[in-house]
Amino acid sequence: MATNTFTAPPMSLRTALNVAVIGAGAAGLVAARELRREGHSVVVFERENRLGGTWVYDPKTESDPIGLDPSRTVAQSSLYASLRTNLPRETMGFRDYPFAASTRDPRRFPGHGEVLEYLNDFANEFGLTELVRLGTEVKRVGLEGGKWRVRSRCGEDFLDEIYDAAVVCNGHYSEPRIAEIPGIETWPGHQIHSRNYRTPEPFRGQVVVLIGSSSSAVDISRDIAGVAKEAHVASRSVTDGTIGKVPGYNNMWIHSMIERVCGDGTVVFQDGSAVCADVILHCTGYKYNFPFLDTNGAVTVDDNRVGPLYKHVFPPTLAPSLSFVGLLLKVIPFPLFELQSKWIAGVLSGRIALPSSDEMMANVEVFYRTLDESGIPKRYTHQLAEYQFEYSDWLASECGCPPSEEWRKQIYFATGKNRKVRPETYRDEWDDEHLVPRAYEDFAKYCS
Ligand code: FAD
């Protein structure tokens, strides 16, 4: 296994590479910072005209509301207008650039605009904007003579360039996953995916069935219940005790999963209940998608497993020149992006060693076998949840950084519990107030 016990070569002896970063969301921005800190030359490609990725609210929706048509017009982001973060801000920020309370929106769980401002501040603070080519979509990344040919398009112009390494940071919230529903071909209602939900107004007076139990499903169902005639939430993970009317609402119900839908508009649930609905809103998550990436089959997406990838970052046969930042699910994303980026930057410069390709492949195989034996479906390969700190501490040790701060772990777990106990109000009421000053004591090291 790789260790970090050797003495780092001085900057002058490190290899400085030309690196292409695809995407200027949180992952691409921090990757650019870490790569440049390590001495590499960096170009960040961003197809939109603003940096910030997911956090740029786009009131436009896509031409195909369910997101199945590959030629649909694509919106920049999946955010809805009312979105507030589902993690408290102390935990969310990069490790050395805290997301501390601001005068713009001082709430612990701020609105989406505040996160975008934070990312803009981050980009300005570290001079990253000059590295980003806005309005430039990467159309192809393919191997050529041991390097990567990157084909990009800006307006009508195409450009081919050669890079030593490519870091993929294109996000994974733009390709909707849709629930398979028996009878849907003849069901007369309207279907949309949460990616195209912005405000509740279009659902006024309607009967809406939402599928899912994620944070988005919880938020959107509450948003919609404020104006709709009825909101019905169908969830695979529902328990018998929670089926029925949602406390505090006279027009919202929880059901088990949809069993089938019928030509007269009826939606039948597995618990035997049925409603005649106008809309089915899929809050069913997303698929990984790398339409530009040509690895000759070295990296594939199989039932939402991107692989094989050593530690969710390096494909063993193409490491270290190809890497991925930000594939993880159910984590605190920004600090993990930061550590993955530090690792990539250090490996590319030769400061941090990787195991051999065979050793990495063996490690991946053991990991996949463990998931299999635990009955975890492939599609949850990148979902870390409570294991995220073990993972991030491993990355930190590879990079020679301190492990995750104790307060960050404790606040994360306290928030998870609070969300279960107070699903309606967890963003405004909590029991972990005593942990917040510990975070701010740490922040004092970084905030002037
Ligand atoms: P993105 O932000 O998606 O950025 C990817 C970028 O790549 C985009 O700008 C895109 O335009 C660009 N791109 C894609 N393809 C190409 C191409 N071919 N060429 C050039 N550019 C390309 N995280 C939290 O920490 N707290 C929260 O409360 C929270 N809430 C969320 C709520 C919702 C509804 C969603 C969808 C996500 C939420 N997240 C939250 C997770 C959030 O996605 C991450 O915080 C983070 O923003 C992901 O960053 P990213 O850089 O990986 O991806």
Side-chain angles (χ1 to χ4, degrees), residues 378-398:
K378 275 186 190 162
R379 64 178 182 281
Y380 298 138
T381 298
H382 306 293
Q383 188 165 300
L384 293 194
E386 62 265 37
Y387 299 112
Q388 67 179 295
F389 296 108
E390 198 181 299
Y391 174 80
S392 67
D393 289 351
W394 181 88
L395 282 175
S397 92
E398 288 299 293

Side-chain angles (χ1 to χ4, degrees), residues 83-329:
L83 184 133
R84 288 171 66 187
T85 64
N86 51 38
L87 291 170
R89 61 189 311 149
E90 314 84 64
T91 61
M92 265 183 69
F94 297 114
R95 289 158 57 112
D96 62 0
Y97 191 74
F99 187 25
S102 76
T103 49
R104 296 177 301 229
D105 180 351
R107 293 174 295 178
R108 263 191 103 189
F109 295 77
H112 54 80
E114 172 70 357
V115 186
L116 181 62
E117 291 298 331
Y118 165 78
L119 289 175
N120 279 314
D121 290 347
F122 175 77
N124 290 330
E125 174 77 22
F126 296 99
L128 304 175
T129 45
E130 69 204 39
L131 306 178
V132 183
R133 291 189 197 159
L134 291 173
T136 308
E137 181 175 13
V138 169
K139 304 300 279 183
R140 186 173 179 275
V141 175
L143 258 185
E144 195 172 292
K147 302 208 173 201
W148 293 93
R149 178 179 284 273
V150 176
R151 166 158 258 237
S152 61
R153 177 186 163 169
C154 181
E156 296 305 307
D157 300 326
F158 286 84
L159 183 64
D160 276 328
E161 294 165 297
I162 300 292
Y163 288 88
D164 300 307
V167 184
V168 178
C169 305
N170 68 328
H172 48 86
Y173 294 106
S174 54
E175 200 59 25
R177 266 171 81 94
I178 299 297
E180 283 175 22
I181 306 174
I184 199 71
E185 317 72 42
T186 57
W187 186 72
H190 180 61
Q191 292 186 76
I192 77 166
H193 187 274
S194 59
R195 172 154 177 80
N196 287 308
Y197 174 78
R198 298 289 178 274
T199 59
E201 207 42 49
F203 304 94
R204 181 170 291 279
Q206 302 205 324
V207 176
V208 182
V209 173
L210 299 99
I211 307 176
S213 50
S214 63
S215 219
S216 302
V218 174
D219 285 353
I220 296 173
S221 57
R222 273 62 182 171
D223 236 13
I224 283 184
V227 302
K229 186 173 169 208
E230 294 173 12
H232 297 267
V233 181
S235 163
R236 205 189 288 139
S237 52
V238 77
T239 51
D240 285 351
T242 49
I243 288 179
K245 216 169 209 178
V246 178
Y249 293 84
N250 59 16
N251 65 342
M252 181 155 56
W253 289 263
I254 304 278
H255 301 264
S256 56
M257 204 44 198
I258 296 176
E259 184 184 276
R260 65 195 149 87
V261 293
C262 312
D264 63 357
T266 309
V267 175
V268 182
F269 301 95
Q270 286 168 355
D271 57 33
S273 57
V275 293
C276 190
D278 302 298
V279 179
I280 293 179
L281 205 163
H282 297 251
C283 304
T284 37
Y286 295 87
K287 296 189 269 194
Y288 294 98
N289 191 26
F290 309 98
F292 50 83
L293 191 57
D294 180 357
T295 61
N296 271 326
V299 182
T300 59
V301 183
D302 176 11
D303 190 20
N304 245 15
R305 168 182 288 173
V306 186
L309 291 183
Y310 177 60
K311 304 284 181 188
H312 308 275
V313 172
F314 288 113
T317 56
L318 297 172
S321 73
L322 181 67
S323 55
F324 294 76
V325 177
L327 299 183
L328 300 171
L329 291 165

Side-chain angles (χ1 to χ4, degrees), residues 396-409:
S397 92
E398 288 299 293
C399 300
C401 299
S404 289
E405 309 87 334
E406 202 44 44
W407 55 260
R408 205 186 292 261
K409 297 181 190 173

